[in-house]
Amino acid sequence: MRPARPNHGRRGEPPPQGVRAEPPGFADVRFVGDAGDEILTRFLGEPPRTPSPQPEAMKVLALSGGGASGAFGAGALVGLSEAGRRPLFNMVTGVSTGALIAPFAFLGPSWDARLKDAFTDGFASEAFALTALRPGVSLYPGEQLSGLVRRYVDADLMRAVADAHRSGRRLFVATANLDAQTTSIWDMGAIAASGQDSALGLFATVLVASASLPGIFPPKMIAVESEGRFYEEMHVDGGAITPLFVVPEGLLLRRAQDLDGEAVEVYALFNTTLDPSLRETSLSAVPILVRSFELMLRSSYRGALRAVTAFCEINDFVLLTGSVPAELSGSSMLRFDRAAMSEMFAHGARLAKDARLWTEAVGSAADAG
């Protein structure tokens, strides 16, 4: 008898258009799509300012996607810590591999050892090796990425995020809702501080979903409810819509009126090379596919930078940017090789320690590092 084939197409019904749904037991833990003016305060104006060595300015860190090149951003943050130039960020946002970095960036230097391990200890290299390929819904099974997140994201980390959230700081992660074709921006601190038994599970699920590059990793299904009815949403890599964000797309061309007169510094850290790179492409399917994919992503990152630049100019915010340097443009974001990721990490750390990480794009900031 022929064995039964798995039915990969069976899933729950997504919410109908216009229905606002949340994960069961959680309220107001995400912003959906192009939400309106009322949420700008929650993003940039409502939280009380946490005392810091630099009380004169609110500091925002935005972390982009970039796959294995996330090792660069992780190294940069550790390098800033070692140089004594790492700000206390009032708000951190992350997408894709940037989402995996974001909790550690948010919590600060005391979590640097775990951040370094996540990108250099070789677990990712083993989990995403060619021998781990299991083509089906995606090239790799979902357990590979989920296992990576569970290894470094635990109850202790979530409690620390909850404490920081209660102090007034904010941590946001973006996923792409494939059914609705909208961005969901998740308030990770609100999830952590909810007191729900399922908070750690949802926290980890959102991180996995944000980093689930379509075709490489399977989508994450997130159960939601509205007025007693249960639905299921399909979420993938947030970079499919939003490769980097400071505020939701619908607010990019608005003035942050609640912050008039308050200094804001935005640090945009791109885990990729922004400039085009000349490299011969072999005339075969895989190199053409990979090269085209990198071109598409690089173009979307440059578009995200233009949008954030416009937002900062409108609001007179300082904007500083950092990105993988051009000399590393030959590194593939899908190359989860321990040696390559360790070198990428070390390069980011060196730039930060040598005060060569940030480039001023809008405004000015002293000792940016």
Side-chain angles (χ1 to χ4, degrees):
M1 180 180 295
R2 181 179 298 176
R5 297 177 63 184
N7 183 355
H8 296 298
R10 185 171 296 168
R11 51 157 298 184
E13 175 188 3
Q17 186 172 359
V19 170
R20 179 177 176 82
E22 295 274 11
F26 295 86
D28 298 323
V29 295
R30 66 169 171 172
F31 307 104
V32 179
D34 299 336
D37 290 334
E38 70 275 5
I39 71 165
L40 183 57
T41 298
R42 184 171 168 188
F43 253 83
L44 293 175
E46 181 184 41
R49 300 293 168 254
T50 304
S52 72
Q54 300 125 326
E56 75 283 355
M58 177 183 181
K59 298 185 186 294
V60 178
L61 173 66
L63 295 158
S64 85
S69 297
F72 172 83
L77 287 167
V78 172
L80 287 173
S81 298
E82 293 175 351
R85 285 194 292 270
R86 180 161 162 185
L88 174 66
F89 294 107
N90 303 84
M91 186 174 94
V92 176
T93 73
V95 180
S96 193
T97 195
L100 303 182
I101 298 170
F104 306 102
F106 180 65
L107 293 177
S110 62
W111 291 81
D112 279 356
R114 191 178 295 196
L115 173 61
K116 181 178 180 179
D117 283 349
F119 284 89
T120 64
D121 73 354
F123 184 84
S125 179
E126 294 178 7
F128 309 134
L130 291 177
T131 55
L133 288 171
R134 300 290 187 275
V137 175
S138 58
L139 292 180
Y140 292 99
E143 292 77 13
Q144 303 299 92
L145 184 55
S146 295
L148 177 67
V149 170
R150 286 195 304 269
R151 184 178 175 90
Y152 302 106
V153 175
D154 56 17
D156 288 340
L157 180 141
M158 196 181 67
R159 281 192 290 269
V161 169
D163 289 342
H165 178 81
R166 294 187 188 103
S167 78
R169 298 169 59 224
R170 293 295 179 259
L171 171 63
F172 297 106
V173 164
T175 63
N177 183 328
L178 207 55
D179 298 312
Q181 295 190 326
T182 59
T183 300
S184 286
I185 296 179
W186 299 83
D187 188 337
M188 304 300 283
I191 294 172
S194 67
Q196 297 291 324
D197 292 339
S198 57
L200 179 57
L202 179 60
F203 192 99
T205 293
V206 170
L207 293 180
V208 172
S210 184
S212 292
L213 190 64
I216 307 299
F217 305 109
K220 289 298 289 184
M221 308 308 297
I222 299 180
V224 295
E225 68 172 325
S226 177
E227 298 181 349
R229 292 200 60 180
F230 290 85
Y231 305 96
E232 192 174 51
E233 297 175 348
M234 180 182 288
H235 288 257
V236 298
D237 192 322
I241 304 178
T242 308
L244 174 140
F245 72 97
V246 175
V247 294
E249 183 180 355
L251 302 179
L252 280 172
L253 299 180
R254 312 288 181 87
R255 279 197 59 82
Q257 296 177 353
D258 294 321
L259 290 173
D260 278 351
E262 182 172 348
V264 176
E265 295 174 6
V266 175
Y267 297 75
L269 185 53
F270 288 87
N271 291 297
T272 186
T273 304
L274 294 176
D275 296 325
S277 61
L278 177 62
R279 187 168 78 246
E280 181 178 345
T281 305
S282 299
L283 192 59
S284 58
V286 172
I288 292 173
L289 179 63
V290 170
R291 187 76 165 144
S292 299
F293 179 71
E294 291 177 347
L295 173 61
M296 177 185 67
L297 287 182
R298 193 164 294 167
S299 298
S300 70
Y301 292 139
R302 290 199 296 269
L305 175 57
R306 287 191 292 270
V308 170
T309 300
F311 176 74
C312 291
E313 288 177 340
I314 289 170
N315 288 284
D316 297 321
F317 294 166
V318 171
L319 172 61
L320 297 127
T321 65
S323 62
V324 176
E327 59 264 30
L328 297 180
S329 62
S331 300
S332 171
M333 62 182 64
L334 299 179
R335 186 185 174 193
F336 294 93
D337 174 77
R338 183 176 187 179
M341 292 178 69
S342 295
E343 175 54 31
M344 189 73 77
F345 182 98
H347 203 106
R350 283 195 298 271
L351 287 181
K353 286 188 282 189
D354 294 344
R356 294 186 293 121
L357 176 63
W358 303 115
T359 298
E360 179 184 313
V362 178
S364 62
D367 194 28

